[in-house]
């Protein structure tokens, strides 16, 4: 089936006819509100759907103006789960709308064929919630969520239709049928807007509605999906609307208690009693989808915190309930749980949660995270933690009694730390650019790597240290390593997991447990034995992070819902465009003319590490360029530099017609990034050589011999001047330096500050734009290269800081 949205029209078109710049291919369908056609945009060769609306729209200036305004609003709502609006115009006095062309069926049609599996129902509802949440962030409310307005494509991707348009594209008459007709007059108080069976109570009463109205409507859709029947349907429309106002939902006993609670929460009569945001709905559904086919995570009476692994079915008990980001968490000797969290966008703070107490107590330690708890109840904390790059961060190690008091600072640039079993000293991972160093005790080097080291933990008997070694700076990928207290390697499985998030020892010390991604288990808790071999300790869909384990076998874990977003905006304008396509984009470049962004989607397809996309800044679908890790877009926008996954190999992928080209530079053991020179004929490649030392080369794309860039060794990221003769990059002391491409030690960039990263040079080469790293709110400054004078150019702060 091809997607058709039916609107009445006085215009009938034949194949080959033109509607504006679009060529009609064939009709797709017609209905009471218009005709829909498959068409082609010859300018870019894209097929689209065109909806021709009644000429009556044009005879009503107010209605036409409102239609144009809402169409533009819908066009700005670019999200993978919302129908993309490309264009609008007028043809023979009839307005038309141009949208993406989809193949599949409506949710109503799918439901009519039989029961939808629970996991699929939860997945589809989560997709709807994600799309609606993106629209709510723009201040747009749908007001008409129902199965007829949900389209399921052939690859199971859900698209919500008629966003922002439903209230305008309605006939002013009475009901035709409950399934297809909307009650829509105006959005003023006292009017009725919506579809009778899917209205919220406030819609039925004609009250002003907000985002929580859409939550109620989606709750009806979810209930219908998982039970097979509408929760409020009655013989007549009037009785149905009365049931929405007065009747409680009766759910079958076969429905899991966890899912039933979510549905009840979405269908609360009073808006204040519902979920307060669609993001909260998506999070709750994610938890259910990750808890197994029953959709239930429960704790048995008397269960202690954590996941208890002594039974075949682990028992769960929730410790935190707020929205935000959890840093690190540990069990204390008395059974309490100490953790660092940044709730609702606030700075990291240390909390204590005790068994049987629903509320966590703030310790008063702010801008702090927990690293370890000693046997005597003293905390090792990280103060003023900041981002190094990727997932890696570091701060000042300090110790403080769990009961409170002023922290005593121990040492700086500490990535992670663990108390020795006797509580007298530490094992730490320290960042000493460009290396990560494992020390035990502090100052005594046991292990070092240019890759990130994290999650250091003593074995129960104190004779060994386990940690995760990541081959890339700040990347999640890694493998568990075990060394003795002399630094000798006792265990190294050799195989790197795609993603890791936490490590702990088994109670008997015979295994190292690590949260990692290993097909086909997803992000699970895996056990690595000292004698070799690996087993799955705890498996659950979704993303698990592992914090700690008790001698009794309880695990302290979190189930995370993570999402990256990419926003584009223009200086001086408040509106920002969300350009994320799936749920984990990595923004890598912006075209020189500002027309499109280059990014990779790192979790778009299971089994593929990343897919490379280009997307117009103005909106519209993202174009899949190829697979791999996107690095940079050529100055003319014709080539994408991508990582092939083989050390020293770079693939040049054309953005249009043409064949990919491989560029080889075997002098690299590991490459971090590539930057195009302005001439488009060379690339600046930064990485490490065979001896693991930093290496920076100018690599011709025609296969010529690479040459050292500047002194041949500096940090990343880098910005290349328009003349191609100078490079700005961090030096050894983390201050920005200016290097001559032809060679030399470089000179400090005047006016630069520590821990800043360069963005780009101005077109005339007079200025460099920089920003401080490791902050969620930041200022982009412009520095005069000659004088060092700096001025704030643009301040940037995310609208919603929760979880960042």
């Amino acid at each position: 089936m091809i997607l058709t949205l039916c609107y009445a029209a006085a215009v009938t078109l034949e194949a080959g006819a033109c509607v504006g710049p679009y060529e009609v291919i064939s009709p797709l369908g017609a209905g009471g509100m218009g005709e829909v056609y498959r068409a082609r945009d010859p300018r870019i060769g894209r097929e689209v759907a065109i909806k021709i609306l009644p000429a009556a729209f044009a005879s009503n200036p107010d209605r036409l103006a409102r239609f144009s305004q809402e169409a533009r609003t819908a066009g700005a709502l670019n999200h993978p789960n919302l129908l993309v609006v490309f264009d609008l115009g007028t043809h023979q006095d009839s307005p038309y709308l141009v949208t993406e062309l989809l193949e599949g069926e409506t949710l109503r049609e799918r439901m009519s064929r039989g029961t939808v599996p629970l996991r699929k129902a939860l997945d589809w509802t989560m997709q709807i919630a994600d799309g609606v949440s993106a629209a709510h962030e723009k201040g747009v409310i749908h007001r008409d969520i129902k199965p007829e307005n949900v389209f399921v494509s052939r690859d199971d991707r859900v698209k919500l239709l008629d966003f922002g348009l439903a209230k305008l594209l309605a006939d002013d008459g009475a009901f035709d049928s409950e399934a297809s007709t909307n009650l829509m007059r105006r959005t003023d108080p006292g009017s009725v807007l919506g579809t009778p069976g899917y209205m919220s109570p406030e819609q039925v009463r004609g009250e002003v509605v907000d985002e929580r109205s859409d939550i109620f409507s989606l709750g009806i859709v979810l209930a219908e999906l998982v039970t097979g029947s509408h929760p409020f349907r009655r013989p007549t429309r009037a009785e149905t609307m009365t049931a929405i106002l007065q009747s409680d939902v009766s759910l079958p006993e076969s429905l899991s208690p966890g899912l039933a609670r979510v549905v009840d929460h979405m269908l609360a009569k009073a808006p204040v009693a519902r979920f307060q945001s669609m993001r909260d709905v998506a999070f709750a559904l994610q938890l259910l989808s990750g808890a197994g086919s029953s959709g239930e995570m429960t704790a048995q009476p008397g269960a202690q915190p954590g996941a208890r692994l002594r039974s075949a079915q682990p028992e769960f008990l929730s410790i935190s309930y707020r929205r935000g980001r959890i840093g690190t968490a540990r069990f204390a000797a008395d059974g309490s749980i100490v953790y660092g969290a940044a709730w609702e966008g606030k700075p990291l703070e240390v909390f204590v949660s005790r068994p049987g107490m629903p509320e966590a107590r703030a310790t008063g330690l702010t801008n702090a995270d927990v690293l370890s708890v000693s046997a005597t109840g003293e905390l090792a904390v990280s103060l003023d933690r900041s981002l190094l790059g990727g997932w890696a961060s570091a701060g000042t190690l300090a110790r403080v009694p769990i009961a409170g008091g002023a922290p005593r600072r121990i040492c700086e640039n500490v990535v992670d730390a663990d108390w020795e079993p006797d509580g007298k000293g530490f094992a730490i991972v320290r960042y000493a650019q460009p290396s990560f160093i494992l020390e035990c005790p502090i100052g005594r080097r046991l292990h070092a790597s240019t890759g990130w080291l994290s999650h250091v933990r003593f074995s129960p008997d104190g004779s060994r240290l386990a940690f995760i070694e990541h081959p890339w700076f700040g990347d999640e990928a890694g493998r568990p390593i075990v060394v003795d207290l002399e630094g000798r390697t006792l265990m190294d499985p050799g195989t790197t997991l795609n993603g890791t998030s936490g490590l702990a020892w088994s109670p008997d010390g015979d295994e190292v447990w690590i949260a990692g991604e290993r097909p086909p288990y997803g992000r699970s808790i895996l056990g690595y034995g000292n004698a070799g071999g690996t087993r799955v300790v705890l498996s659950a869909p979704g993303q698990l992070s592992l914090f700690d384990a008790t001698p009794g076998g309880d695990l302290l874990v979190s189930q995370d819902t993570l999402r990256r977003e990419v926003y584009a905006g223009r200086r001086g304008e408040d509106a920002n465009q969300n350009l994320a396509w799936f749920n984990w984009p990595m923004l890598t470049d912006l075209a020189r003319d500002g027309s499109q962004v280059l990014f990779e989607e790192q979790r778009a397809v299971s089994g593929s590490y990343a897919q490379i996309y280009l997307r117009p800044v103005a909106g519209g679908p993202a174009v899949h360029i190829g697979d791999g890790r996107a690095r940079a877009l050529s100055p003319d926008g014709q080539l994408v530099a991508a990582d092939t996954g083989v050390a020293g190999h770079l693939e040049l992928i054309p953005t249009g017609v043409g064949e990919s080209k491989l560029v080889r530079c075997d002098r690299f053991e590991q490459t971090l990034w590539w930057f195009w020179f302005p001439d488009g004929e060379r690339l600046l490649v930064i990485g490490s050589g065979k001896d693991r030392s930093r290496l920076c080369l100018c690599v011709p794309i025609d296969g010529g011999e690479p040459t050292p860039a500047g002194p041949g060794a500096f940090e990343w990221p880098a910005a290349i001047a328009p003349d191609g003769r100078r490079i700005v990059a961090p030096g050894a002391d983390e201050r920005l330096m200016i290097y001559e491409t032809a060679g030399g030690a470089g000179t400090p960039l005047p006016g630069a500050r520590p821990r800043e990263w360069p963005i780009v040079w101005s077109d005339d080469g007079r200025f460099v734009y920089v920003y401080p790293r490791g902050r969620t709110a930041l200022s982009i400054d412009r520095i005069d290269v000659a004088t060092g004078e700096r001025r704030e150019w643009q301040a940037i702060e995310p609208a919603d800081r929760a979880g960042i």
Side-chain angles (χ1 to χ4, degrees):
M1 173 194 170
I2 304 296
L3 164 66
T4 60
L5 301 181
C6 298
Y7 308 114
V11 178
T12 300
L13 303 175
E14 300 293 335
C18 289
V19 178
Y22 306 98
E23 299 174 355
V24 173
I25 297 175
S26 62
L28 290 177
M33 286 299 292
E35 294 185 349
V36 188
Y37 296 89
R38 179 195 289 266
R40 181 177 178 273
D41 186 344
R43 298 168 295 181
I44 56 176
R46 175 173 59 196
E47 288 196 355
V48 298
I50 295 183
K51 293 86 179 176
I52 308 291
L53 306 178
F57 271 77
S59 63
N60 186 329
D62 178 65
R63 198 175 190 190
L64 182 60
R66 291 171 62 211
F67 165 72
S68 299
Q69 176 184 351
E70 290 294 331
R72 284 191 291 271
T73 299
L77 298 177
N78 287 302
H79 187 276
N81 300 119
L82 303 179
L83 180 71
V84 178
V85 176
F86 295 134
D87 196 6
L88 72 156
T90 303
H91 176 75
Q92 297 182 7
D93 296 329
S94 295
Y96 67 83
L97 193 68
V98 182
T99 71
E100 63 179 317
L101 187 69
L102 301 176
E103 298 191 14
E105 60 187 344
T106 68
L107 184 58
R108 174 65 68 197
E109 291 169 323
R110 172 60 185 86
M111 292 165 64
S112 68
R113 301 205 320 267
T115 303
V116 176
L118 177 59
R119 287 193 180 277
K120 189 161 296 222
L122 293 176
D123 175 59
W124 290 350
T125 309
M126 278 190 288
Q127 290 188 50
I128 300 171
D130 282 340
V132 177
S133 177
H136 285 175
E137 290 176 2
K138 296 289 187 181
V140 182
I141 307 168
H142 193 285
R143 296 180 175 89
D144 198 30
I145 297 175
K146 58 183 179 181
E148 289 76 14
N149 279 339
V150 176
F151 194 86
V152 183
S153 65
R154 290 178 177 175
D155 62 355
D156 271 350
R157 182 159 293 278
V158 168
K159 292 276 186 175
L160 188 58
L161 314 179
D162 277 357
F163 216 118
L165 299 179
K167 64 178 179 293
L168 299 175
L169 303 182
D171 180 65
D172 282 340
F175 290 99
D176 290 334
S177 71
E178 180 171 314
S180 62
T181 308
N182 300 327
L183 270 177
M184 300 181 185
R185 296 288 186 268
R186 295 176 57 84
T187 58
D188 303 324
S191 63
V192 179
L193 183 152
T195 298
Y198 297 89
M199 288 182 179
S200 65
E202 53 268 36
Q203 280 180 293
V204 173
R205 291 190 293 266
E207 298 172 350
V208 176
V209 301
D210 59 20
E211 293 87 347
R212 294 170 295 184
S213 178
D214 284 347
I215 292 174
F216 189 94
S217 300
L218 183 59
I220 297 177
V221 174
L222 175 58
E224 195 169 2
L225 267 173
V226 299
T227 67
S229 62
H230 192 291
F232 300 113
R233 189 177 303 280
R234 302 294 187 270
T236 67
R237 290 184 294 272
E239 290 175 293
T240 297
M241 296 169 74
T242 300
I244 288 174
L245 289 173
Q246 300 177 0
S247 299
D248 294 330
V249 179
S250 178
L251 298 173
E253 293 184 359
S254 58
L255 201 64
S256 73
L259 180 54
R261 285 193 294 270
V262 170
V263 174
D264 284 339
H265 200 181
M266 295 176 73
L267 295 179
K269 304 298 183 187
V272 71
R274 292 176 209 146
F275 289 100
Q276 294 301 289
S277 75
M278 199 62 85
R279 281 190 181 275
D280 293 340
V281 173
F283 179 75
L285 293 172
Q286 174 67 31
L287 289 179
L288 289 174
S289 67
S293 59
S294 67
E296 175 64 2
M297 296 174 67
T298 63
Q300 299 299 320
Q304 295 299 309
R308 190 177 299 273
L309 301 178
R310 289 188 293 269
S311 62
Q313 292 296 324
E315 304 160 4
F316 291 84
L317 179 66
S318 293
I319 302 302
S320 64
Y321 301 88
R322 298 169 67 182
R323 181 169 170 263
R325 177 175 63 88
I326 296 175
T328 303
R330 294 286 185 266
F331 285 115
D334 64 357
S336 60
I337 294 169
V338 188
Y339 62 91
W343 299 130
E344 286 82 44
K346 298 177 182 177
L348 268 170
E349 185 174 3
V350 177
F351 297 86
V352 176
S353 177
R354 300 189 182 279
M357 296 178 61
E359 294 292 335
R361 174 179 64 83
T363 64
L365 280 173
T366 58
N367 292 309
D369 196 7
V370 177
L371 297 180
S372 182
V373 183
S374 74
T376 59
E378 191 173 9
L379 302 181
V381 297
S382 178
L383 304 178
D384 303 319
R385 200 166 183 87
S386 62
L387 193 69
L388 297 174
W391 294 92
S393 60
T396 298
L397 172 64
R399 55 194 297 174
V400 61
I402 194 171
R408 180 163 70 89
R409 296 171 182 259
I410 305 298
C411 59
E412 298 180 337
N413 297 322
V414 173
V415 176
D416 201 6
D418 195 28
W419 285 99
E420 293 179 349
D422 61 8
K424 295 180 179 180
F426 299 95
I428 69 168
V429 172
R430 187 202 304 266
Y431 179 57
Q433 192 179 30
S435 298
F436 293 84
I437 302 171
L438 173 65
E439 301 176 7
C440 181
I442 295 176
R444 181 170 178 262
R445 175 172 172 158
L446 298 183
H447 185 89
S449 173
T450 55
W452 173 34
L453 302 181
S454 68
H455 302 91
V456 59
R457 301 302 299 274
F458 274 101
S459 62
D461 63 5
S463 66
R464 293 158 292 162
L465 285 166
F467 55 91
I468 301 175
E469 182 164 351
H470 309 261
W472 299 84
F473 185 100
D475 197 0
E476 281 188 298
R479 69 187 190 278
I481 305 289
V482 176
V483 299
D484 64 16
L485 299 188
E486 298 300 320
R488 293 184 290 263
T489 300
L490 304 178
M491 186 188 79
D492 182 350
T495 302
T496 298
L497 301 169
N498 290 338
T500 58
S501 57
L503 177 147
W505 285 87
S506 64
D508 55 14
D510 288 342
E511 287 184 319
V512 172
W513 292 344
I514 181 173
E517 293 180 8
R518 192 187 74 170
Y521 306 109
R523 180 69 63 87
S524 305
I525 309 299
L526 305 173
Y528 286 78
N530 294 331
T534 308
R535 70 183 182 96
V536 178
V537 178
L538 177 65
S539 182
Q543 177 149 310
L544 292 178
S545 292
L546 173 62
F547 298 118
D548 205 359
T550 68
D554 290 341
L555 288 186
L556 188 57
V557 301
S558 68
Q559 189 171 43
D560 309 320
T561 300
L562 302 180
R563 179 180 178 86
R564 276 190 189 146
E565 293 182 339
V566 173
Y567 284 89
R570 294 190 178 276
R571 193 165 174 237
E573 298 179 1
D574 293 333
N576 290 321
Q577 186 88 346
N578 187 352
L579 299 178
W581 194 238
F582 292 100
N583 72 337
W584 203 249
M586 176 68 174
L587 180 65
T588 57
D589 211 349
L590 173 70
R592 290 294 299 168
D593 61 3
S595 63
Q596 55 187 348
V597 293
L598 174 70
F599 62 93
E600 61 188 55
E601 279 286 359
Q602 296 180 344
R603 295 175 183 170
V605 177
S606 177
S608 175
Y609 179 74
Q611 293 187 318
I612 301 171
Y613 289 89
L614 279 172
R615 190 172 189 189
V617 169
V623 179
H624 181 212
I625 299 299
D627 295 338
R629 301 201 65 174
R631 284 300 179 240
L633 187 63
S634 62
D636 61 6
Q638 300 300 308
L639 292 172
V640 171
D643 184 357
T644 63
V646 180
H649 287 61
L650 176 70
E651 187 175 2
L652 302 181
I653 304 174
T655 58
V657 178
E659 296 294 327
S660 296
K661 176 183 178 180
L662 193 66
V663 178
R664 299 185 60 177
C665 186
D666 296 329
R667 293 175 62 183
F668 285 96
E669 177 70 22
Q670 173 185 339
T671 50
L672 292 175
W673 215 268
W674 296 264
F675 302 89
W676 284 95
F677 278 89
D679 58 14
E681 298 177 356
R682 296 173 296 160
L683 286 153
L684 172 64
V685 185
I686 301 177
S688 57
K690 302 295 184 179
D691 62 354
R692 307 291 286 175
S693 63
R694 180 65 73 240
L695 183 62
C696 305
L697 300 177
C698 298
V699 179
I701 65 173
D702 62 1
E705 185 66 23
T707 59
F714 49 81
E715 295 305 309
W716 68 287
I720 305 173
D723 59 9
R725 298 176 180 176
R726 293 170 294 170
I727 299 169
V728 169
D733 63 352
E734 298 192 318
R735 287 184 180 269
L736 293 180
M737 303 286 289
I738 299 179
Y739 300 101
E740 295 292 329
T741 307
T747 58
L749 173 66
R753 297 166 183 165
R755 300 180 64 80
E756 285 186 321
W757 275 353
I759 305 172
V760 71
W761 292 67
S762 60
D763 289 340
D764 58 9
R766 292 179 55 199
F767 305 99
V768 171
Y769 295 87
V770 302
Y771 73 99
R773 53 181 168 154
R775 302 180 187 174
T776 57
L778 56 89
S779 170
I780 297 175
D781 287 357
R782 190 184 72 175
I783 299 178
D784 189 308
V785 175
T787 67
E789 179 186 3
R790 62 186 296 155
R791 294 182 179 179
E792 183 181 275
W793 183 78
Q794 179 72 36
I796 294 179
E797 182 171 1
D800 182 5
R801 297 177 64 179
I804 296 178

